[in-house]
Amino acid sequence: MAKIQARILKGFRDYLPEDMLARRAMLASVEAVFRKFGFAPLDTPALEYTDVLLGKYGEEGEKLLYRFEDNGGRDVALRYDLTVPLARVVAMNGNLPMPFKRYHIAPVWRAEKPGRGRFREFSQCDADIIGAPGSAAEVDILSVGMAILDALDVKEFTIHVNHRGVFDGLLDGLELYEFEKRAHVVRTIDKLDKIGREKVLHLLSEEVGLDSTGLEIISGFLDIPSGDIDAAESFFASMPKASEAIAALKATFNLAEQAGIASRLKANFAVARGLDYYTGLIYETTLNALPDIGSVMSGGRYDGITDMFGAQAHPAVGISLGVDRLFAALKELGTLQLASTPTQVLVAVFNEDHLSDSFQIAQKLRDAGVHAEVFLGASYRLKKQFRYADRMGIPYIAIQGPDERDEGIVTLRCLKDGQEKKLSVDQIANEI
Amino acid sequence: MAKIQARILKGFRDYLPEDMLARRAMLASVEAVFRKFGFAPLDTPALEYTDVLLGKYGEEGEKLLYRFEDNGGRDVALRYDLTVPLARVVAMNGNLPMPFKRYHIAPVWRAEKPGRGRFREFSQCDADIIGAPGSAAEVDILSVGMAILDALDVKEFTIHVNHRGVFDGLLDGLELYEFEKRAHVVRTIDKLDKIGREKVLHLLSEEVGLDSTGLEIISGFLDIPSGDIDAAESFFASMPKASEAIAALKATFNLAEQAGIASRLKANFAVARGLDYYTGLIYETTLNALPDIGSVMSGGRYDGITDMFGAQAHPAVGISLGVDRLFAALKELGTLQLASTPTQVLVAVFNEDHLSDSFQIAQKLRDAGVHAEVFLGASYRLKKQFRYADRMGIPYIAIQGPDERDEGIVTLRCLKDGQEKKLSVDQIANEI
């Protein structure tokens, strides 16, 4: 048989044990917080009918879909996100108790050009509340986000909060109604942090063709001090849609304040997050120690998500964690425990005749709560067994020779400091 | 915009919270046991190059693959199992410490005709040991399997153990060397439990054309009492390949005996598990209370799995849990806790003015370890909030009216028995 070349598709990744153990630990913390807030897990298929997936994204999505005809001639595609499948589930299950709080941690696929930190398969980690309008659900979503970052021990972070209606009102104030132009203005202002105020105004004049009145309005908008909702209220007094948005934002901030969770929230009127998806609250989150990494947690309100299926309209608000970014951040902050194995004790095998003793010792250790494995390699040379423990990063090795067997004890060696103790199996669990 | 019909592909499933919570609980138990034995998690992409996946399965696999050309013209397919991706990872990472013990719980896709209990997307749950020859690794794999079924509390079960060489030797003894005929004999004997001994012999005569000598050998084979390795040893004395297999099987049983884990193992020479994949030990597991459900856990030795990639040959032994079957069995045995939400306490909202108090109560409950959610519906009518708790199966509801607020207490109502207690928030955590 001709040999096949073992290779992996570009933009796809294997997660070897070291990464996987740390990622799973991170996601287990996240999941525990979701559950503490009453979010329940949901899972949906990787494959869906293409028209179901395209409902939300249209042509932009089409290019990015892994789309094909299945053996039955159906037009199918791999899911692009976890939001459309959620909308489909809600539309198909009219009897779900509302509000419906679900989380979903699963891979999605996008046929994008892979690059630094951009993959064709990556995990999304979302929680959403369907069927809850108003500030309460928004404060709940922001609270769960804060509790997650606290659980992950990232210390200082800032959630930058805005309302989609602020930009909408501003664009109406500019009398810009063409979708492409509106999008262009938003994209340009979104670059403020990177390119600076002067360059933003320059691009708006050159590329969008804003006149001096328009540039003045934008200039005034950029002058609103970050975090100052009252200043925004005055600035937008003559723009009704934006005023409404500021009022809604204020209500959410007030409730957060009273609930005692406002200290990490900051109103930031430049937060954009795309034009055609969100309908109210929008937010992004930066880690104060690693601002350059970008937003690690974002979301907002997107009422009417089930509209595309002609189903009953429901309000919706959600949160999405950037799993890869957050993982990279935790690595950089040094808050992740890295190991290649869950094993705490390698039970060495003195020789073939001692093999069943080693199995019994390992089983007793497990019964006492210790993660233990018997050395399963082909040769029982002790040097080989030590080398294995060392390469795997197993912290302890337990060895029982014939004399120790007679005495009913085991030598426990700590690989870090080389210290050895003679202990009974019961004592080992306490020692670790 | 034309409305899109919300629908799901045939053979695919949504896991709504009730199923998902129970499945996740089951898999969390399984995962904890894998880790206790030193198996580390691994994950690989859903999509692979088609030739990589087809290496093992050839034409049979081809029909069952979700295969397509991606936007870059690559011939790709969704993974069909978790074993080929494992072999690829081992082939691509020559420096993995050996033995390499990994587990992998993930979906796979097969374009099969969907039917009762047969889906096109389903989870596999595998653990394998690469790089460990001999009985020790086999006893380790059988031990982890037993520990899993014990952790899931399925009580009585039997692991039916055989060696692939037994059938090979038997077929050599029959002087049948044609692959199709060999497979036909094995498939026919595999039906023994269903169709009975007479029918098996009849089919072997009619369909395979076995002569009276052949039928006599088979007849003698079927006469070996299940579990009697010594009887098998005598029967196969003149068939060298089968004798070797029985000797290997005996070694594994002896070690299991000495290690104290043999009581749930039973030698069963009729266990077949396909012809061209396993190279040594093979086994299946039945639940004594639910024999009709079929095998819930199976596997065996398949040395040389990386051969197809021309990589260094490694011995391999593995275990695979039938997730759907096991889940169905646990449901039937009543050992699963079913709930639609992780929430233990619904913190009701007395009225709009009390909203931030409800948030604070919920947060205190969570800090004390309780899973608590604030009611987020649009209307604060208490009747609606009770109805929500009831439909979600939330066991407790906490309500604080104005008087209680002044006193700093909360009314905790148990929805099951309707009992109410007036408690401080701190006391609630103890009460639950």
Side-chain angles (χ1 to χ4, degrees), chain A residues 30 144 212 229 298 338 348:
Chain A
V30 172
V144 79
S212 60
I229 299 186
S298 58
L338 296 175

Side-chain angles (χ1 to χ4, degrees), chain B residues 391-414:
Chain B
R391 286 199 61 197
M392 296 294 288
I394 299 173
Y396 293 94
I397 185 160
I399 313 156
Q400 190 184 58
D403 298 344
E404 287 150 322
R405 174 160 68 177
D406 293 342
E407 288 178 62
I409 56 164
V410 176
T411 298
L412 183 74
R413 186 187 169 99
C414 171

